[in-house]
Amino acid sequence: MSRTVSRAKYLRQLYPYKPPSTSIDHLVIGGGAVGLSVAAGLVNTSGRDKITFLVERRGQLGQETTARNSEVIHSGIYYPLGSLKSRLCIRGRDMLYDRCKSLGIGYKNTGKIVVATSPSQLPYLEKLQKHSQHPSFLSNSDDTSSSSIRTKFLSGEEARELEPDLSTSVCGGLLIPSTGIVDSQGLVDSLEREIEDPDYNSPSSSSPSGEDRGEGVIVLGTRVVRIDKEEKGNGWVVQLETNWEGLGEGEKGDVESVRTDVLVNAAGLGAVSLTDGVVGDGQMKMYAVKGNYMSYKGPGTGKVSRLIYPCPSANIDHLGTHLTLDLEGHIKFGPDVQIIGTWEDYISNPEFWEKHLSPSDSPELKSQFAQSVLDYLPNINPDNLSPDYSGIRPNISPPNAGFSDFLIRHDESRKGFVELLGFNSPGLTSSLAVGEYVSEMISKDIHGRHSKVGEGREKRLNELAKGWEA
């Protein structure tokens, strides 16, 4: 295939239009945490007569972006007020903690400290704390302790009292108690059950009786190869291919065509390519960015009990090489930022990133990690850093472009086609809130149903949208 032809256009040539053999109400593409949350939200709120399908191209759920991140429950403190990242991260954080407690999903509310290692970084911490005390975050406008993002400013000495392994160069810190870690696979498993099991009671179920619940079906090993707007009607015709793995160029698996009222593109790293096949204007671009993680076992971290983050880059496009823990207490550092490929590489082959999945093990990278970490943990042994795993961020803004928000798009000219693009960090933390947000939007915009609970949540989210700018 010529590199001048996008993969989406090539697939439209390879798979001609095929009339649908069946009709459903909702089809969600993508079995990561975001797609699963959207499907669960639709099942819970759409009504007994509605059927929601979720298709995932892999043989298991949550195997791409969801499985390759730091599993951190973020507080929401870094993002501009009014952004979707701020609104959905805060809401999703609270929903995630509630879900873990209710369903026995593994988690730990560790808290974290953002550290300054030079006086020049202290103004950033002060700005971050001021942001957390914005009136829109407060349940009581006169009480900053009621903020949905609680913080405490620490001197260098106070930071070292909490985390004795920190460097003497640490001159200040910001304690953020609401940060934590979660078992991402446990979250995925719980959402799978919520979608398919009508007797599974989760905190996001609409009612104990299940009177608003529809039917949910998950189909694995199935990829989307073509999407068409219905010629006569308001739906979408989607071609689904099974038995596709291992095929040579131009070969086809088994293809079925399905009509759906609502189509949600939550395909993560493949989402922009699917949008390109529908919109075809080439305006939306994807820039794959790799993040490496290194595990560590050795001196200099024996007393660490919280996540430790350095001050992030000025653009807040990277939170620095930070220390995170897993539920067993193992330490890892990362991720870094490694640009892989170009937009042209992606559009001609949306899976090009797969060949970059192995964690980098170059001496140069190890040295860079060590230099970053030694700045705040001076007693680690760099020789004990070991490549662990890596993940790929589905960025929709070019490198060094500054803050980039999530994009949830439901264009009037493409009614029923909902696009979820750019779901990098804090996508895992935000996922449950995204499911709530999108399902309520579809209920209102497509099905003409209004939820008083949803209206209350939207009012609260709109309140968070006032004021602070990064």
Side-chain angles (χ1 to χ4, degrees):
M1 184 185 69
S2 170
R3 286 174 59 85
T4 61
V5 178
S6 76
R7 185 71 181 177
K9 291 179 180 178
Y10 170 74
L11 290 176
R12 291 186 72 82
Q13 296 170 3
L14 185 62
Y15 297 85
Y17 178 81
K18 184 175 183 178
S21 59
T22 189
S23 181
I24 58 177
D25 300 289
H26 312 121
L27 177 61
V28 179
I29 307 170
V34 170
L36 287 163
S37 295
V38 171
L42 290 171
V43 169
N44 284 327
T45 62
S46 60
R48 288 187 177 182
D49 59 333
K50 303 293 184 183
I51 300 176
T52 298
F53 268 59
L54 180 145
V55 294
E56 163 56 43
R57 69 193 189 113
R58 303 295 184 188
Q60 293 178 278
L61 296 168
Q63 294 303 297
E64 294 186 2
T65 309
T66 297
R68 294 176 171 271
N69 65 83
S70 58
E71 297 189 308
V72 171
I73 303 175
H74 290 282
S75 67
I77 196 170
Y78 291 109
Y79 313 110
L81 200 64
S83 66
L84 279 176
K85 283 189 175 180
S86 174
R87 299 156 64 189
L88 296 174
C89 182
I90 293 170
R91 172 65 180 159
R93 175 202 70 196
D94 295 343
M95 294 177 72
L96 189 49
Y97 276 127
D98 288 346
R99 187 180 190 90
C100 289
K101 294 172 186 175
S102 174
L103 301 179
I105 300 168
Y107 81 102
K108 188 174 182 180
N109 184 191
T110 58
K112 86 173 181 184
I113 301 178
V114 184
V115 296
T117 55
S118 74
S120 65
Q121 294 176 336
L122 291 175
Y124 173 79
L125 295 184
E126 293 166 355
K127 181 181 179 181
L128 205 59
Q129 184 178 45
K130 183 178 179 182
H131 172 42
S132 74
Q133 295 171 347
H134 190 280
S136 294
F137 286 132
L138 308 182
S139 57
N140 180 342
S141 60
D142 296 323
D143 179 12
T144 57
S145 67
S146 68
S147 173
S148 56
I149 308 177
R150 292 187 298 111
T151 60
K152 181 182 179 182
F153 201 92
L154 305 171
S155 67
E157 291 77 10
E158 290 171 328
R160 280 184 290 277
E161 286 178 7
L162 294 177
E163 295 293 344
D165 290 318
L166 286 173
S167 170
T168 55
S169 67
V170 171
C171 55
L174 194 65
L175 176 64
I176 308 171
S178 58
T179 301
I181 51 177
V182 65
D183 174 9
S184 59
Q185 187 59 50
L187 172 63
V188 166
D189 293 343
S190 75
L191 288 166
E192 179 182 17
R193 286 194 61 190
E194 183 171 354
I195 292 167
E196 296 195 307
D197 185 352
D199 297 321
Y200 187 67
N201 291 321
S202 78
S204 55
S205 298
S206 55
S207 66
S209 65
E211 61 185 18
D212 292 328
R213 182 184 166 87
E215 181 182 352
V217 178
I218 294 174
V219 183
L220 300 177
T222 301
R223 69 175 182 177
V224 173
V225 294
R226 177 168 175 149
I227 300 170
D228 291 281
K229 186 75 176 73
E230 193 176 28
E231 289 187 4
K232 296 180 180 180
N234 297 318
W236 295 85
V237 178
V238 184
Q239 292 189 41
L240 306 173
E241 184 181 42
T242 56
N243 300 316
W244 59 272
E245 292 192 85
L247 296 178
E249 192 70 30
E251 296 180 329
K252 299 181 185 179
D254 301 318
V255 180
E256 292 292 335
S257 190
V258 175
R259 181 208 174 274
T260 181
D261 290 334
V262 176
L263 178 62
V264 180
N265 177 7
L269 290 158
V272 169
S273 181
L274 288 177
T275 282
D276 183 56
V278 174
V279 181
D281 59 8
Q283 294 300 307
M284 185 59 62
K285 292 179 168 59
M286 210 280 278
Y287 303 89
V289 177
K290 181 177 181 178
N292 294 284
Y293 292 86
M294 289 199 175
S295 61
Y296 180 79
K297 183 181 290 186
T301 58
K303 297 178 181 179
V304 170
S305 61
R306 297 168 181 81
L307 311 189
I308 303 175
Y309 282 51
C311 287
S313 67
N315 288 329
I316 318 183
D317 57 359
H318 174 46
L319 298 182
T321 304
H322 48 267
L323 179 152
T324 59
L325 303 162
D326 64 19
L327 292 172
E328 285 74 45
H330 301 137
I331 288 174
K332 59 179 177 282
F333 294 104
D336 65 342
V337 174
Q338 183 179 341
I339 310 302
I340 56 170
T342 64
W343 159 242
E344 288 75 18
D345 291 325
Y346 174 82
I347 201 63
S348 64
N349 177 18
E351 289 85 39
F352 88 96
W353 52 267
E354 292 182 359
K355 64 178 180 287
H356 297 278
L357 272 180
S358 296
S360 301
D361 59 357
S362 70
E364 293 79 12
L365 182 67
K366 191 172 182 179
S367 176
Q368 292 170 13
F369 265 71
Q371 185 176 1
S372 297
V373 175
L374 286 167
D375 192 37
Y376 59 91
L377 290 172
N379 296 318
I380 69 159
N381 182 351
D383 292 337
N384 291 15
L385 289 168
S386 176
D388 194 355
Y389 65 97
S390 67
I392 310 295
R393 304 172 179 94
N395 293 359
I396 56 174
S397 290
N400 302 315
F403 174 76
S404 177
D405 205 0
F406 296 149
L407 178 60
I408 299 178
R409 187 165 65 177
H410 185 207
D411 193 286
E412 184 62 31
S413 65
R414 299 186 291 276
K415 191 167 185 178
F417 180 53
V418 180
E419 302 160 84
L420 309 184
L421 306 172
F423 274 80
N424 49 22
S425 181
L428 181 67
T429 304
S430 304
S431 58
L432 296 176
V434 175
E436 179 183 77
Y437 182 95
V438 172
S439 61
E440 288 174 355
M441 180 180 70
I442 290 171
S443 181
K444 177 183 175 183
D445 295 350
I446 304 298
H447 301 310
R449 300 173 61 186
H450 294 264
S451 164
K452 291 183 178 180
V453 173
E455 289 173 358
R457 289 173 183 144
E458 185 61 27
K459 181 179 179 181
R460 173 61 177 155
L461 289 177
N462 287 334
E463 288 173 354
L464 291 174
K466 301 173 183 175
W468 190 83
E469 294 291 337

